[in-house]
């Protein structure tokens, strides 16, 4: 499908972008001062390079519900929600109360707690899983799931989709947004590192496939017969705007993984417990062998998790062919006399000082059992549809080149004339138009993620009035743009 729109004057876009960026600077002098100070101590002036953007990031003071306030005292309706972490909203009262109690009673034991069992049981129920383990971030969850898949299959290569982001470990920090001249052929993209410092040997283990092209996956599986441990996919590509799977795509991946003995891993770090009570698994009705969670399951406290079928997750207990584990090998599964596995490992190691810490477990439990309950989703979806329809109405009325899209309570305006089905379409996005809109909206109290590759996320604490405010400001932007 092609979305048409009038040609918006480039000069007009540049003029509005420059004016709004200046307005941003005028409103946020304390953020700028903190940024200058931060640069003396933190590379790029931030703790994660994702937080850096030009001219400088807002420094935030506090947040509650759907609102966030910067250090200059400007209040925003938060549609970023911490890169999609906060489907529960900021500091939900139920969470704040439970965490106060937890903080007063110890936040880290490195002994297990009952809340961890209950949270695992809840995740199992939502995702149709047999076993679950906890980590501290989405990065750890995908890293651990890949190791489990490799341990289970005895194979080393993985398939990752071009344009997909799965965290910052070496195996997956490739072909995130590769430059045009390096990305290679459409059907068999080149594996392009997204960072310096990644060994060539790691890159050789990650085979890149175009998203939404099942035939390309089939061809890769044939070409690497018996070598692919896992197919890793984000069910909706949420790191290039909002790119849903074509009908039948996830089902076909399921079939191909089974046919070729590869583990199908759904990265549900953004989709899990957000698209639906049971995440993308429930939303699309396709069951992977393993899934990864993080972000929203903790309600704003760091957490990660992965889980799936007993047969696959069971390798954390014992690998087929091993018989005993004890002592140091009890944890690592190495150096055990009775192992028949090359190298002696008897199990896949999954470790972490903070895994299952009581703070994260309580946060997860309250978030899932008391806030993101089944009855939260109809309202979240209705608000998202309202925002998408309102935004689309503005795009249509002013004939802007772009379209509004959401999947569950996550959506965005894609500023591009054609539908995006994979990363190569996404490259056509009008980033100047996006930037003009970002600063225009921010200066009027509507905060979006600071990049065209991310999207808005609604929380249970947003209101229809806030959605309507967003649409009204977006309309003002369209009026000025086309005046
Ligand atoms: C789909 C997906 N997977 C994994 C990650 C990594 O999660 P974290 O930043 O918690 O390490 C992200 C982060 O944005 C993500 O969007």
């Amino acid at each position: 499908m092609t979305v048409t729109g009038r040609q918006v004057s480039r000069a007009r876009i540049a003029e509005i972008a420059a004016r709004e960026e200046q307005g941003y600077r005028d409103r946020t002098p304390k953020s700028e001062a903190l940024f200058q100070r931060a640069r003396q101590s933190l590379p790029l002036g931030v703790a994660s390079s994702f937080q850096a953007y030009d001219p400088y990031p807002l420094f935030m003071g506090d947040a509650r519900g759907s609102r966030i306030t910067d250090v200059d005292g400007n209040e925003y309706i938060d549609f970023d929600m911490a890169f999609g972490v906060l489907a529960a909203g900021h500091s939900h009262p139920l969470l704040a109360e439970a965490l106060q109690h937890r903080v007063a009673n110890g936040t880290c034991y490195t002994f297990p707690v009952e809340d961890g069992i209950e949270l695992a049981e809840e995740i199992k129920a939502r995702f149709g899983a047999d076993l679950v383990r906890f980590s501290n971030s989405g990065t750890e969850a995908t890293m651990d799931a890949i190791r489990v898949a490799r341990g289970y299959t005895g194979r080393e290569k993985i398939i990752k989709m071009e344009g997909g982001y799965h965290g910052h470990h070496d195996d997956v920090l490739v072909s995130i947004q590769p430059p045009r001249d390096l990305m290679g052929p459409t059907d068999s993209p080149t594996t392009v590192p997204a960072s310096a410092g990644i060994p060539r040997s790691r890159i050789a283990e990650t085979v890149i496939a175009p998203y939404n092209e099942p035939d390309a996956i089939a061809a890769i599986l044939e070409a690497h017969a018996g070598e692919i441990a896992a197919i890793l996919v984000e069910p909706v590509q949420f790191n290039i705007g909002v790119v849903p799977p074509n009908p039948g795509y996830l089902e076909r991946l399921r079939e191909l993984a089974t046919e070729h003995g590869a583990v199908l891993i759904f990265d549900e770090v953004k989709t899990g417990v957000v698209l639906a009570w049971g995440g993308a698994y429930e939303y699309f009705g396709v069951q992977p062998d393993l899934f990864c969670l993080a972000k929203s399951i903790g309600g704003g406290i760091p957490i990660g998790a992965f889980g799936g079928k007993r047969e696959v997750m069971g390798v954390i207990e014992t690998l087929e062919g091993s018989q005993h584990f004890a002592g140091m090998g009890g944890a690592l599964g190495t150096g055990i006399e009775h192992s028949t596995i090359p190298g002696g490992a008897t199990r896949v190691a999954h470790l972490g000082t903070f895994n299952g810490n009581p703070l994260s477990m309580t946060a997860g439990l309250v978030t899932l059992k008391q806030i993101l309950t089944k009855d939260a989703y109809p309202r979240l979806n209705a608000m998202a549809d309202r925002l998408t329809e309102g935004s689309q109405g503005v795009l249509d009325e002013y004939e802007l080149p772009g379209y509004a899209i959401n999947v569950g309570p996550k959506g965005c305006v894609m500023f591009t004339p054609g539908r995006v089905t994979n990363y190569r379409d996404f490259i056509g996005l009008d980033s100047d138009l996006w930037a003009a809109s970002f600063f225009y909206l921010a200066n009027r109290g509507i905060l979006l993620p600071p990049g065209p590759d991310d999207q808005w996320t609604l929380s249970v604490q947003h209101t229809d009035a806030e959605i309507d405010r967003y649409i009204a400001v977006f309309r003002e932007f369209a009026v000025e743009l086309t005046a």
Side-chain angles (χ1 to χ4, degrees):
M1 175 181 163
T2 300
V3 184
T4 51
R6 76 165 78 174
Q7 279 303 96
V8 181
S9 145
R10 302 314 299 174
R12 186 74 184 131
I13 296 172
E15 190 188 322
I16 291 179
R19 184 193 74 199
E20 293 300 323
E21 189 178 315
Q22 188 54 50
Y24 175 94
R25 287 177 183 278
D26 295 343
R27 289 172 38 253
T28 59
K30 287 189 182 155
S31 279
E32 178 158 27
L34 285 179
F35 176 65
Q36 297 307 347
R37 180 174 148 209
R39 287 175 64 192
Q40 309 308 311
S41 308
L42 299 154
L44 298 176
V46 288
S48 156
S49 297
F50 274 143
Q51 294 170 5
Y53 63 92
D54 288 335
Y56 51 83
L58 295 171
F59 280 68
M60 293 303 181
D62 67 83
R64 206 151 307 152
S66 57
R67 305 292 174 114
I68 189 163
T69 307
D70 69 22
V71 287
D72 287 283
N74 300 300
E75 188 186 81
Y76 305 85
I77 307 171
D78 190 354
F79 288 94
D80 175 358
M81 297 312 265
F83 293 152
V85 164
L86 294 165
H90 290 283
S91 293
H92 192 287
L94 291 170
L95 191 56
E97 191 189 333
L99 291 181
Q100 267 164 20
H101 175 79
R102 171 49 60 208
V103 167
N105 289 279
T107 56
C108 187
Y109 306 151
T110 62
F111 287 92
V113 290
E114 190 173 351
D115 278 0
I117 310 172
E118 213 177 325
L119 182 56
E121 289 165 350
E122 173 71 11
I123 291 173
K124 278 171 54 174
R126 288 183 183 232
F127 291 87
D130 299 320
L131 292 168
V132 173
R133 269 282 178 104
F134 294 108
S135 61
N136 303 288
S137 66
T139 295
E140 288 184 19
T142 62
M143 180 182 76
D144 294 328
I146 289 169
R147 184 181 297 138
V148 163
R150 285 176 166 152
Y152 172 71
T153 57
R155 303 172 180 177
E156 298 194 357
K157 290 195 189 306
I158 60 165
I159 296 178
K160 175 201 170 280
M161 308 306 156
E162 193 172 44
Y165 180 71
H166 303 284
H168 58 276
H169 56 97
D170 289 352
D171 279 322
V172 295
L173 200 59
V174 292
S175 296
I176 311 292
Q177 290 188 15
R180 232 182 254 271
D181 56 331
L182 296 182
M183 63 193 186
T186 311
D187 285 352
S188 57
T190 306
T191 306
V192 183
S195 167
I198 297 179
R200 261 188 227 111
S201 56
R202 303 300 320 146
I203 289 171
E205 303 305 340
T206 304
V207 184
I208 302 300
Y211 178 76
N212 262 335
E213 298 288 347
D215 291 349
I217 305 273
I220 291 169
L221 286 163
E222 291 294 336
H224 295 277
E227 291 180 346
I228 303 291
I231 302 173
L232 173 64
V233 65
E234 195 184 7
V236 179
Q237 281 207 309
F238 272 131
N239 285 286
I240 46 171
V242 175
V243 183
N246 289 339
Y249 173 64
L250 296 176
E251 289 81 352
R252 185 70 188 124
L253 288 189
R254 175 64 281 172
E255 284 169 8
L256 286 168
T258 306
E259 264 169 42
H260 289 266
V263 173
L264 180 62
I265 306 177
F266 277 3
D267 179 346
E268 291 232 33
V269 166
K270 279 192 157 180
T271 55
V273 313
V274 177
L275 296 198
W277 184 79
Y281 160 59
E282 178 187 333
Y283 196 94
F284 295 108
V286 176
Q287 186 159 34
D289 300 301
L290 295 178
F291 57 86
C292 304
L293 298 168
K295 294 198 193 268
S296 264
I297 65 166
I301 296 292
I303 190 171
F306 65 102
K309 296 184 176 159
R310 178 178 300 278
E311 190 187 337
V312 184
M313 286 294 285
V315 298
I316 297 174
E317 293 186 340
T318 182
L319 282 172
E320 204 179 313
S322 65
Q323 285 157 18
H324 296 281
F325 25 85
M328 183 62 176
L332 295 176
T334 54
I336 303 301
E337 287 165 25
H338 303 290
S339 171
T340 59
I341 311 291
T346 58
R347 56 173 67 177
V348 169
H350 173 243
L351 312 160
T353 300
F354 281 99
N355 291 5
N357 72 79
L359 189 68
S360 301
M361 296 301 98
T362 300
L365 204 51
V366 173
T367 301
L368 298 199
K369 296 280 257 198
Q370 297 182 42
I371 303 170
L372 298 178
T373 50
K374 275 189 178 157
D375 55 2
Y377 294 91
R379 192 171 155 267
L380 281 172
N381 288 331
M383 282 193 298
D385 290 346
R386 187 184 184 97
L387 185 44
T388 297
E389 281 161 25
S391 306
Q392 187 62 53
V394 172
L395 293 166
D396 290 344
E397 191 178 336
Y398 295 91
E399 296 176 48
L400 297 185
Y403 62 94
I405 183 170
N406 71 288
V407 182
K410 295 173 76 63
C412 67
V413 169
M414 302 284 273
F415 286 112
T416 175
R419 287 273 154 178
V420 174
T421 60
N422 59 34
Y423 169 67
R424 298 199 182 196
D425 299 335
F426 172 81
I427 303 176
L429 209 90
D430 188 334
S431 52
D432 296 338
L433 190 50
W434 172 84
S437 78
F438 170 77
F439 288 110
Y440 191 98
L441 269 71
N443 288 340
R444 290 154 187 81
I446 304 292
L447 188 65
L448 286 166
D453 30 31
D454 220 317
Q455 61 292 127
W456 47 256
T457 301
L458 301 181
S459 80
V460 295
Q461 300 194 67
H462 280 87
T463 64
D464 282 351
E466 290 173 330
I467 308 289
D468 293 346
R469 174 73 189 142
Y470 178 129
I471 297 164
V473 176
F474 188 53
R475 179 182 302 280
E476 286 170 28
F477 172 63
V479 169
E480 283 214 33
L481 202 59
T482 53

